[in-house]
PDB file of all heavy atoms in Angstrom:
ATOM      1  N   PRO A  42     -56.935   1.884 -75.385  1.00  0.00           N
ATOM      2  CA  PRO A  42     -57.274   0.984 -76.500  1.00  0.00           C
ATOM      3  C   PRO A  42     -58.730   0.518 -76.516  1.00  0.00           C
ATOM      4  O   PRO A  42     -59.326   0.270 -75.484  1.00  0.00           O
ATOM      5  CB  PRO A  42     -56.351  -0.214 -76.266  1.00  0.00           C
ATOM      6  CG  PRO A  42     -55.269   0.264 -75.381  1.00  0.00           C
ATOM      7  CD  PRO A  42     -55.861   1.373 -74.561  1.00  0.00           C
ATOM      8  N   VAL A  43     -59.279   0.426 -77.728  1.00  0.00           N
ATOM      9  CA  VAL A  43     -60.589  -0.144 -78.007  1.00  0.00           C
ATOM     10  C   VAL A  43     -60.418  -0.914 -79.312  1.00  0.00           C
ATOM     11  O   VAL A  43     -59.652  -0.504 -80.167  1.00  0.00           O
ATOM     12  CB  VAL A  43     -61.654   0.957 -78.195  1.00  0.00           C
ATOM     13  CG1 VAL A  43     -62.986   0.371 -78.568  1.00  0.00           C
ATOM     14  CG2 VAL A  43     -61.782   1.790 -76.958  1.00  0.00           C
ATOM     15  N   ASP A  44     -61.127  -2.006 -79.466  1.00  0.00           N
ATOM     16  CA  ASP A  44     -60.973  -2.820 -80.667  1.00  0.00           C
ATOM     17  C   ASP A  44     -62.204  -2.654 -81.590  1.00  0.00           C
ATOM     18  O   ASP A  44     -63.219  -3.277 -81.367  1.00  0.00           O
ATOM     19  CB  ASP A  44     -60.816  -4.291 -80.277  1.00  0.00           C
ATOM     20  CG  ASP A  44     -60.458  -5.157 -81.474  1.00  0.00           C
ATOM     21  OD1 ASP A  44     -59.987  -4.612 -82.486  1.00  0.00           O
ATOM     22  OD2 ASP A  44     -60.635  -6.368 -81.386  1.00  0.00           O
ATOM     23  N   PRO A  45     -62.109  -1.800 -82.628  1.00  0.00           N
ATOM     24  CA  PRO A  45     -63.264  -1.577 -83.503  1.00  0.00           C
ATOM     25  C   PRO A  45     -63.276  -2.552 -84.685  1.00  0.00           C
ATOM     26  O   PRO A  45     -62.235  -2.971 -85.164  1.00  0.00           O
ATOM     27  CB  PRO A  45     -63.035  -0.152 -84.019  1.00  0.00           C
ATOM     28  CG  PRO A  45     -61.568  -0.061 -84.094  1.00  0.00           C
ATOM     29  CD  PRO A  45     -61.029  -0.877 -82.935  1.00  0.00           C
ATOM     30  N   ARG A  46     -64.418  -2.855 -85.147  1.00  0.00           N
ATOM     31  CA  ARG A  46     -64.578  -3.656 -86.371  1.00  0.00           C
ATOM     32  C   ARG A  46     -65.811  -3.157 -87.087  1.00  0.00           C
ATOM     33  O   ARG A  46     -66.901  -3.119 -86.533  1.00  0.00           O
ATOM     34  CB  ARG A  46     -64.737  -5.146 -86.053  1.00  0.00           C
ATOM     35  CG  ARG A  46     -63.511  -5.760 -85.415  1.00  0.00           C
ATOM     36  CD  ARG A  46     -62.374  -5.884 -86.408  1.00  0.00           C
ATOM     37  NE  ARG A  46     -61.164  -6.328 -85.751  1.00  0.00           N
ATOM     38  CZ  ARG A  46     -60.096  -5.597 -85.634  1.00  0.00           C
ATOM     39  NH1 ARG A  46     -60.044  -4.404 -86.111  1.00  0.00           N
ATOM     40  NH2 ARG A  46     -59.037  -6.080 -85.035  1.00  0.00           N
ATOM     41  N   SER A  47     -65.669  -2.772 -88.353  1.00  0.00           N
ATOM     42  CA  SER A  47     -66.801  -2.361 -89.175  1.00  0.00           C
ATOM     43  C   SER A  47     -66.410  -2.520 -90.647  1.00  0.00           C
ATOM     44  O   SER A  47     -65.359  -2.076 -91.083  1.00  0.00           O
ATOM     45  CB  SER A  47     -67.158  -0.898 -88.900  1.00  0.00           C
ATOM     46  OG  SER A  47     -68.187  -0.504 -89.769  1.00  0.00           O
ATOM     47  N   LEU A  48     -67.315  -3.142 -91.400  1.00  0.00           N
ATOM     48  CA  LEU A  48     -67.068  -3.312 -92.816  1.00  0.00           C
ATOM     49  C   LEU A  48     -67.525  -2.120 -93.642  1.00  0.00           C
ATOM     50  O   LEU A  48     -67.019  -1.886 -94.738  1.00  0.00           O
ATOM     51  CB  LEU A  48     -67.802  -4.575 -93.322  1.00  0.00           C
ATOM     52  CG  LEU A  48     -67.350  -5.901 -92.710  1.00  0.00           C
ATOM     53  CD1 LEU A  48     -68.273  -7.016 -93.162  1.00  0.00           C
ATOM     54  CD2 LEU A  48     -65.936  -6.185 -93.117  1.00  0.00           C
ATOM     55  N   PHE A  49     -68.478  -1.375 -93.144  1.00  0.00           N
ATOM     56  CA  PHE A  49     -69.141  -0.357 -93.955  1.00  0.00           C
ATOM     57  C   PHE A  49     -68.706   1.076 -93.663  1.00  0.00           C
ATOM     58  O   PHE A  49     -69.111   1.988 -94.373  1.00  0.00           O
ATOM     59  CB  PHE A  49     -70.662  -0.458 -93.761  1.00  0.00           C
ATOM     60  CG  PHE A  49     -71.182  -1.828 -94.115  1.00  0.00           C
ATOM     61  CD1 PHE A  49     -71.595  -2.683 -93.113  1.00  0.00           C
ATOM     62  CD2 PHE A  49     -71.227  -2.269 -95.428  1.00  0.00           C
ATOM     63  CE1 PHE A  49     -72.070  -3.945 -93.427  1.00  0.00           C
ATOM     64  CE2 PHE A  49     -71.698  -3.530 -95.734  1.00  0.00           C
ATOM     65  CZ  PHE A  49     -72.116  -4.356 -94.733  1.00  0.00           C
ATOM     66  N   ARG A  50     -67.927   1.309 -92.644  1.00  0.00           N
ATOM     67  CA  ARG A  50     -67.629   2.673 -92.249  1.00  0.00           C
ATOM     68  C   ARG A  50     -66.309   3.201 -92.773  1.00  0.00           C
ATOM     69  O   ARG A  50     -65.988   4.360 -92.535  1.00  0.00           O
ATOM     70  CB  ARG A  50     -67.671   2.779 -90.742  1.00  0.00           C
ATOM     71  CG  ARG A  50     -69.040   2.377 -90.216  1.00  0.00           C
ATOM     72  CD  ARG A  50     -69.122   2.610 -88.797  1.00  0.00           C
ATOM     73  NE  ARG A  50     -69.641   3.956 -88.623  1.00  0.00           N
ATOM     74  CZ  ARG A  50     -70.010   4.436 -87.477  1.00  0.00           C
ATOM     75  NH1 ARG A  50     -69.906   3.720 -86.405  1.00  0.00           N
ATOM     76  NH2 ARG A  50     -70.481   5.648 -87.405  1.00  0.00           N
ATOM     77  N   GLY A  51     -65.526   2.386 -93.401  1.00  0.00           N
ATOM     78  CA  GLY A  51     -64.221   2.857 -93.889  1.00  0.00           C
ATOM     79  C   GLY A  51     -63.212   2.839 -92.764  1.00  0.00           C
ATOM     80  O   GLY A  51     -63.400   2.228 -91.716  1.00  0.00           O
ATOM     81  N   ASP A  52     -62.089   3.516 -92.975  1.00  0.00           N
ATOM     82  CA  ASP A  52     -61.023   3.547 -91.958  1.00  0.00           C
ATOM     83  C   ASP A  52     -61.387   4.564 -90.890  1.00  0.00           C
ATOM     84  O   ASP A  52     -61.618   5.748 -91.176  1.00  0.00           O
ATOM     85  CB  ASP A  52     -59.687   3.924 -92.591  1.00  0.00           C
ATOM     86  CG  ASP A  52     -59.023   2.742 -93.290  1.00  0.00           C
ATOM     87  OD1 ASP A  52     -59.635   1.650 -93.312  1.00  0.00           O
ATOM     88  OD2 ASP A  52     -57.908   2.902 -93.782  1.00  0.00           O
ATOM     89  N   TYR A  53     -61.421   4.102 -89.679  1.00  0.00           N
ATOM     90  CA  TYR A  53     -61.629   4.992 -88.542  1.00  0.00           C
ATOM     91  C   TYR A  53     -60.960   4.396 -87.320  1.00  0.00           C
ATOM     92  O   TYR A  53     -60.607   3.217 -87.293  1.00  0.00           O
ATOM     93  CB  TYR A  53     -63.125   5.247 -88.282  1.00  0.00           C
ATOM     94  CG  TYR A  53     -63.874   4.093 -87.643  1.00  0.00           C
ATOM     95  CD1 TYR A  53     -64.099   4.076 -86.284  1.00  0.00           C
ATOM     96  CD2 TYR A  53     -64.354   3.040 -88.403  1.00  0.00           C
ATOM     97  CE1 TYR A  53     -64.774   3.030 -85.683  1.00  0.00           C
ATOM     98  CE2 TYR A  53     -65.033   2.001 -87.824  1.00  0.00           C
ATOM     99  CZ  TYR A  53     -65.250   2.002 -86.474  1.00  0.00           C
ATOM    100  OH  TYR A  53     -65.913   0.958 -85.894  1.00  0.00           O
ATOM    101  N   VAL A  54     -60.802   5.203 -86.327  1.00  0.00           N
ATOM    102  CA  VAL A  54     -60.218   4.776 -85.083  1.00  0.00           C
ATOM    103  C   VAL A  54     -61.275   4.955 -84.000  1.00  0.00           C
ATOM    104  O   VAL A  54     -61.817   6.046 -83.856  1.00  0.00           O
ATOM    105  CB  VAL A  54     -58.959   5.610 -84.729  1.00  0.00           C
ATOM    106  CG1 VAL A  54     -58.366   5.167 -83.414  1.00  0.00           C
ATOM    107  CG2 VAL A  54     -57.937   5.508 -85.842  1.00  0.00           C
ATOM    108  N   ALA A  55     -61.594   3.871 -83.293  1.00  0.00           N
ATOM    109  CA  ALA A  55     -62.523   3.958 -82.146  1.00  0.00           C
ATOM    110  C   ALA A  55     -61.727   4.454 -80.963  1.00  0.00           C
ATOM    111  O   ALA A  55     -60.624   3.979 -80.692  1.00  0.00           O
ATOM    112  CB  ALA A  55     -63.144   2.603 -81.860  1.00  0.00           C
ATOM    113  N   LEU A  56     -62.277   5.415 -80.245  1.00  0.00           N
ATOM    114  CA  LEU A  56     -61.530   6.063 -79.168  1.00  0.00           C
ATOM    115  C   LEU A  56     -62.269   5.930 -77.844  1.00  0.00           C
ATOM    116  O   LEU A  56     -63.489   6.043 -77.790  1.00  0.00           O
ATOM    117  CB  LEU A  56     -61.349   7.560 -79.479  1.00  0.00           C
ATOM    118  CG  LEU A  56     -60.590   7.867 -80.771  1.00  0.00           C
ATOM    119  CD1 LEU A  56     -60.720   9.330 -81.123  1.00  0.00           C
ATOM    120  CD2 LEU A  56     -59.148   7.462 -80.642  1.00  0.00           C
ATOM    121  N   ASP A  57     -61.526   5.695 -76.814  1.00  0.00           N
ATOM    122  CA  ASP A  57     -62.013   5.724 -75.461  1.00  0.00           C
ATOM    123  C   ASP A  57     -60.990   6.555 -74.693  1.00  0.00           C
ATOM    124  O   ASP A  57     -59.844   6.692 -75.122  1.00  0.00           O
ATOM    125  CB  ASP A  57     -62.127   4.321 -74.886  1.00  0.00           C
ATOM    126  CG  ASP A  57     -63.139   4.225 -73.773  1.00  0.00           C
ATOM    127  OD1 ASP A  57     -63.728   5.270 -73.419  1.00  0.00           O
ATOM    128  OD2 ASP A  57     -63.345   3.111 -73.224  1.00  0.00           O
ATOM    129  N   TYR A  58     -61.398   7.115 -73.568  1.00  0.00           N
ATOM    130  CA  TYR A  58     -60.540   8.104 -72.912  1.00  0.00           C
ATOM    131  C   TYR A  58     -60.241   7.740 -71.477  1.00  0.00           C
ATOM    132  O   TYR A  58     -61.096   7.186 -70.772  1.00  0.00           O
ATOM    133  CB  TYR A  58     -61.194   9.477 -72.991  1.00  0.00           C
ATOM    134  CG  TYR A  58     -61.381   9.931 -74.427  1.00  0.00           C
ATOM    135  CD1 TYR A  58     -62.545   9.661 -75.118  1.00  0.00           C
ATOM    136  CD2 TYR A  58     -60.337  10.533 -75.105  1.00  0.00           C
ATOM    137  CE1 TYR A  58     -62.697  10.024 -76.443  1.00  0.00           C
ATOM    138  CE2 TYR A  58     -60.475  10.912 -76.423  1.00  0.00           C
ATOM    139  CZ  TYR A  58     -61.650  10.655 -77.085  1.00  0.00           C
ATOM    140  OH  TYR A  58     -61.770  11.014 -78.393  1.00  0.00           O
ATOM    141  N   GLU A  59     -59.043   8.078 -71.052  1.00  0.00           N
ATOM    142  CA  GLU A  59     -58.624   7.830 -69.697  1.00  0.00           C
ATOM    143  C   GLU A  59     -59.530   8.539 -68.686  1.00  0.00           C
ATOM    144  O   GLU A  59     -59.770   8.009 -67.583  1.00  0.00           O
ATOM    145  CB  GLU A  59     -57.172   8.320 -69.527  1.00  0.00           C
ATOM    146  CG  GLU A  59     -56.544   7.922 -68.239  1.00  0.00           C
ATOM    147  CD  GLU A  59     -55.079   8.363 -68.168  1.00  0.00           C
ATOM    148  OE1 GLU A  59     -54.306   7.970 -69.055  1.00  0.00           O
ATOM    149  OE2 GLU A  59     -54.754   9.066 -67.216  1.00  0.00           O
ATOM    150  N   VAL A  60     -60.094   9.683 -69.028  1.00  0.00           N
ATOM    151  CA  VAL A  60     -60.950  10.426 -68.095  1.00  0.00           C
ATOM    152  C   VAL A  60     -62.277   9.716 -67.861  1.00  0.00           C
ATOM    153  O   VAL A  60     -63.003  10.061 -66.935  1.00  0.00           O
ATOM    154  CB  VAL A  60     -61.220  11.866 -68.589  1.00  0.00           C
ATOM    155  CG1 VAL A  60     -59.931  12.676 -68.614  1.00  0.00           C
ATOM    156  CG2 VAL A  60     -61.897  11.867 -69.932  1.00  0.00           C
ATOM    157  N   GLY A  61     -62.579   8.682 -68.640  1.00  0.00           N
ATOM    158  CA  GLY A  61     -63.818   7.940 -68.451  1.00  0.00           C
ATOM    159  C   GLY A  61     -63.658   6.638 -67.678  1.00  0.00           C
ATOM    160  O   GLY A  61     -64.635   5.943 -67.442  1.00  0.00           O
ATOM    161  N   ARG A  62     -62.451   6.321 -67.280  1.00  0.00           N
ATOM    162  CA  ARG A  62     -62.212   5.040 -66.591  1.00  0.00           C
ATOM    163  C   ARG A  62     -62.482   5.157 -65.101  1.00  0.00           C
ATOM    164  O   ARG A  62     -62.345   6.210 -64.505  1.00  0.00           O
ATOM    165  CB  ARG A  62     -60.741   4.623 -66.761  1.00  0.00           C
ATOM    166  CG  ARG A  62     -60.415   4.272 -68.152  1.00  0.00           C
ATOM    167  CD  ARG A  62     -59.012   3.828 -68.359  1.00  0.00           C
ATOM    168  NE  ARG A  62     -58.169   3.786 -67.168  1.00  0.00           N
ATOM    169  CZ  ARG A  62     -57.050   3.152 -67.106  1.00  0.00           C
ATOM    170  NH1 ARG A  62     -56.609   2.505 -68.133  1.00  0.00           N
ATOM    171  NH2 ARG A  62     -56.324   3.159 -66.027  1.00  0.00           N
ATOM    172  N   GLY A  63     -62.826   4.013 -64.513  1.00  0.00           N
ATOM    173  CA  GLY A  63     -62.939   3.908 -63.052  1.00  0.00           C
ATOM    174  C   GLY A  63     -64.057   4.687 -62.433  1.00  0.00           C
ATOM    175  O   GLY A  63     -63.874   5.226 -61.341  1.00  0.00           O
ATOM    176  N   SER A  64     -65.205   4.748 -63.060  1.00  0.00           N
ATOM    177  CA  SER A  64     -66.329   5.457 -62.441  1.00  0.00           C
ATOM    178  C   SER A  64     -66.968   4.577 -61.370  1.00  0.00           C
ATOM    179  O   SER A  64     -67.289   3.428 -61.604  1.00  0.00           O
ATOM    180  CB  SER A  64     -67.359   5.849 -63.506  1.00  0.00           C
ATOM    181  OG  SER A  64     -67.809   4.712 -64.188  1.00  0.00           O
ATOM    182  N   LYS A  65     -67.104   5.125 -60.166  1.00  0.00           N
ATOM    183  CA  LYS A  65     -67.603   4.337 -59.035  1.00  0.00           C
ATOM    184  C   LYS A  65     -69.017   4.706 -58.632  1.00  0.00           C
ATOM    185  O   LYS A  65     -69.562   4.122 -57.720  1.00  0.00           O
ATOM    186  CB  LYS A  65     -66.676   4.546 -57.832  1.00  0.00           C
ATOM    187  CG  LYS A  65     -65.282   4.023 -58.078  1.00  0.00           C
ATOM    188  CD  LYS A  65     -64.420   4.259 -56.879  1.00  0.00           C
ATOM    189  CE  LYS A  65     -63.031   3.728 -57.118  1.00  0.00           C
ATOM    190  NZ  LYS A  65     -62.113   3.997 -56.051  1.00  0.00           N
ATOM    191  N   GLU A  66     -69.580   5.697 -59.289  1.00  0.00           N
ATOM    192  CA  GLU A  66     -70.923   6.129 -58.915  1.00  0.00           C
ATOM    193  C   GLU A  66     -71.954   5.089 -59.344  1.00  0.00           C
ATOM    194  O   GLU A  66     -71.822   4.457 -60.377  1.00  0.00           O
ATOM    195  CB  GLU A  66     -71.229   7.477 -59.567  1.00  0.00           C
ATOM    196  CG  GLU A  66     -72.494   8.088 -59.022  1.00  0.00           C
ATOM    197  CD  GLU A  66     -72.488   9.591 -59.139  1.00  0.00           C
ATOM    198  OE1 GLU A  66     -71.419  10.190 -59.100  1.00  0.00           O
ATOM    199  OE2 GLU A  66     -73.583  10.138 -59.278  1.00  0.00           O
ATOM    200  N   THR A  67     -72.965   4.933 -58.530  1.00  0.00           N
ATOM    201  CA  THR A  67     -74.001   3.933 -58.837  1.00  0.00           C
ATOM    202  C   THR A  67     -75.078   4.589 -59.690  1.00  0.00           C
ATOM    203  O   THR A  67     -76.127   4.986 -59.202  1.00  0.00           O
ATOM    204  CB  THR A  67     -74.609   3.371 -57.539  1.00  0.00           C
ATOM    205  OG1 THR A  67     -75.070   4.477 -56.739  1.00  0.00           O
ATOM    206  CG2 THR A  67     -73.588   2.572 -56.748  1.00  0.00           C
ATOM    207  N   LEU A  68     -74.812   4.695 -60.953  1.00  0.00           N
ATOM    208  CA  LEU A  68     -75.768   5.230 -61.908  1.00  0.00           C
ATOM    209  C   LEU A  68     -76.288   4.091 -62.761  1.00  0.00           C
ATOM    210  O   LEU A  68     -75.697   3.028 -62.821  1.00  0.00           O
ATOM    211  CB  LEU A  68     -75.097   6.273 -62.803  1.00  0.00           C
ATOM    212  CG  LEU A  68     -74.530   7.516 -62.121  1.00  0.00           C
ATOM    213  CD1 LEU A  68     -73.715   8.329 -63.089  1.00  0.00           C
ATOM    214  CD2 LEU A  68     -75.622   8.357 -61.517  1.00  0.00           C
ATOM    215  N   LYS A  69     -77.380   4.321 -63.432  1.00  0.00           N
ATOM    216  CA  LYS A  69     -77.941   3.306 -64.311  1.00  0.00           C
ATOM    217  C   LYS A  69     -77.181   3.274 -65.627  1.00  0.00           C
ATOM    218  O   LYS A  69     -76.613   4.275 -66.059  1.00  0.00           O
ATOM    219  CB  LYS A  69     -79.419   3.609 -64.578  1.00  0.00           C
ATOM    220  CG  LYS A  69     -80.278   3.507 -63.326  1.00  0.00           C
ATOM    221  CD  LYS A  69     -81.705   3.837 -63.646  1.00  0.00           C
ATOM    222  CE  LYS A  69     -82.544   3.782 -62.369  1.00  0.00           C
ATOM    223  NZ  LYS A  69     -83.880   4.272 -62.599  1.00  0.00           N
ATOM    224  N   TYR A  70     -77.223   2.119 -66.271  1.00  0.00           N
ATOM    225  CA  TYR A  70     -76.570   1.953 -67.568  1.00  0.00           C
ATOM    226  C   TYR A  70     -77.102   2.967 -68.560  1.00  0.00           C
ATOM    227  O   TYR A  70     -78.304   3.218 -68.628  1.00  0.00           O
ATOM    228  CB  TYR A  70     -76.840   0.531 -68.086  1.00  0.00           C
ATOM    229  CG  TYR A  70     -76.238   0.278 -69.442  1.00  0.00           C
ATOM    230  CD1 TYR A  70     -74.888  -0.003 -69.586  1.00  0.00           C
ATOM    231  CD2 TYR A  70     -77.017   0.341 -70.592  1.00  0.00           C
ATOM    232  CE1 TYR A  70     -74.311  -0.205 -70.814  1.00  0.00           C
ATOM    233  CE2 TYR A  70     -76.453   0.129 -71.836  1.00  0.00           C
ATOM    234  CZ  TYR A  70     -75.110  -0.155 -71.950  1.00  0.00           C
ATOM    235  OH  TYR A  70     -74.556  -0.359 -73.167  1.00  0.00           O
TER     236      TYR A  70
END
Side-chain angles (χ1 to χ4, degrees):
V43 177
D44 188 19
R46 295 290 173 246
S47 176
L48 296 173
F49 303 108
R50 301 186 91 170
D52 280 3
Y53 74 98
V54 179
L56 301 168
D57 205 358
Y58 299 92
E59 190 176 303
V60 295
R62 293 181 1 163
S64 58
K65 295 180 180 176
E66 191 154 330
T67 54
L68 299 171
K69 294 179 183 172
Y70 178 79

